Amino acid sequence: MAEPAAAPSISLKRTPLHALHVSLGGKIVPFAGYEMPVQYAPGVLKEHLHTRSAAGLFDVSHMGQVALVPKSGKVADAAAALERLVPQDIIGIPPGRQRYAQFTNADGGILDDLMVANFGEHLLLVVNAACKDADIQLLRDGLSDVCEVQPLTDRALLALQGPKAASVLTKFCADADGMRFMDAGPRTVDGLACYVSRSGYTGEDGYEISVPTGSAEQLAEALLSDQHVLPIGLGARDSLRLEAGLCLYGHDIDTTTTPVEAALEWSVQKVRRSGGARAGGFPGADRILAQFDGGAARRRVGLRPEGRAPVREGATLFATADASEPVGKVTSGGFGPTLNAPVAMGYVPTTLAAVDTQLFADVRGQRLPLRVAAMPFVPNTYKR
């Protein structure tokens, strides 16, 4: 879950940790309407490898946090209402758990991807920064008869990611290590009333911590005081999620891609599919369910260039070295520091989506060979 950079001409916002980023030497760039650190002094490569080997702290306060509070007092009513807007089983999320979901449009395209947590009395949603205003309006237009839609503008969001994340956070939150992947709920962290989920956007074990705005810097500094933790910028966040095969909204998924085309079938539970107890009932259901039943014409795949040169977003894909008509396009691409090799993702016809299929990418007029690869490129380490 993330989003495209904002145009420089837009008036940029700052997260509650902006001053801390500057004091730590962060290189600030425009991103999704905010001034955000793209890297610190160690650089993207070292920040990436440090997160894979120890723990990295990310500021993701630009994301939107929204509470869906049922007017009836019954969280099941809020869950049933949200199912009008997403193809996922929201009613089935137990208290203290969260689930990945997508808002879809009437054509089955993805308006945004999000996390939905059941906090027992209400639902907590985390949405992408560039989409959050539109998402909040979508929620208000679609659910106001059942829910109070409450943007939590007084909270920051930190992500602590990596194999040392649990041992670090346990010093500040006694029950952190007892959480499983996708557990979520209120926790006390360093004496602060926080919301914690065991999840993230790196493929590593880790946590996302929602903290009151006024205490965000205090908590960040406490976590950074641990010798295993370094601040990590957007550059490494992007290379980590790419190695993990995770979608970036506005790049790998958007309003022109369906969950099936995006290889996100795993995120749509059987109860919402054809023959399920609550099949359909979400925007674009006819098209999405037809693709579940009959297949989609194209598919998001992993790609491994055969040389050392990265194949970047926008590169055109061809079935042969001398083909005149393209068959697809790269949507994310770069160098994978963990693999010490380039990796990419893109869309190709389903007939060319099998692992090890040979393709060619046009890079500055040259046809570079690559092969369809299984994802994630780097195995995830979630604590199940």
Side-chain angles (χ1 to χ4, degrees), residues 4 8 29 33 105 139 152 170 185 197 243 248 282 284 289 299 354 359:
V29 300
N105 64 20
L139 291 164
L152 304 182
T170 299
S197 66
E243 286 187 341
L248 177 65
F282 52 86
L289 296 183
R299 186 166 183 82
L359 297 168

Side-chain angles (χ1 to χ4, degrees), residues 139-304:
L139 291 164
R140 286 178 169 154
D141 290 345
L143 309 184
S144 289
D145 58 328
V146 177
C147 302
E148 297 288 346
V149 179
Q150 301 176 357
L152 304 182
T153 56
D154 58 346
R155 303 192 74 86
L157 192 63
L158 307 178
L160 182 67
Q161 301 281 294
K164 301 284 188 183
S167 61
V168 171
L169 191 60
T170 299
K171 297 175 185 177
F172 303 94
C173 177
D175 55 349
D177 195 41
M179 298 176 71
R180 296 174 298 138
F181 179 59
M182 298 297 257
D183 279 354
R187 298 287 193 282
T188 299
V189 184
D190 199 28
L192 303 168
C194 295
Y195 309 143
V196 179
S197 66
R198 194 159 194 169
S199 59
Y201 193 53
T202 61
E204 293 292 332
D205 183 24
Y207 304 84
E208 293 186 313
I209 309 161
S210 171
V211 57
T213 295
S215 303
E217 190 166 316
Q218 171 193 329
L219 180 57
E221 289 179 335
L223 295 169
L224 288 168
S225 70
D226 189 289
Q227 63 177 345
H228 298 299
V229 183
L230 286 180
I232 309 296
L234 292 172
R237 180 171 161 86
D238 191 55
S239 57
L240 288 159
R241 70 91 195 169
L242 178 56
E243 286 187 341
L246 298 172
C247 294
L248 177 65
Y249 190 79
H251 299 251
D252 309 296
I253 52 175
D254 57 26
T255 55
T256 70
T257 56
T258 70
V260 178
E261 292 169 345
L264 298 174
E265 294 100 326
W266 59 267
S267 73
V268 181
Q269 291 71 35
K270 290 182 179 179
V271 71
R272 304 302 308 278
R273 302 187 196 180
S274 299
R278 298 192 309 284
F282 52 86
D286 288 350
R287 184 181 181 200
I288 292 170
L289 296 183
Q291 290 183 344
F292 267 109
D293 297 337
R298 62 174 184 153
R299 186 166 183 82
R300 177 177 65 95
V301 297
L303 299 165
R304 290 290 301 267

Side-chain angles (χ1 to χ4, degrees), residues 95-109:
R97 296 285 291 166
Q98 72 174 9
R99 178 163 284 166
Y100 173 70
Q102 307 94 35
F103 291 125
T104 51
N105 64 20
D107 295 324

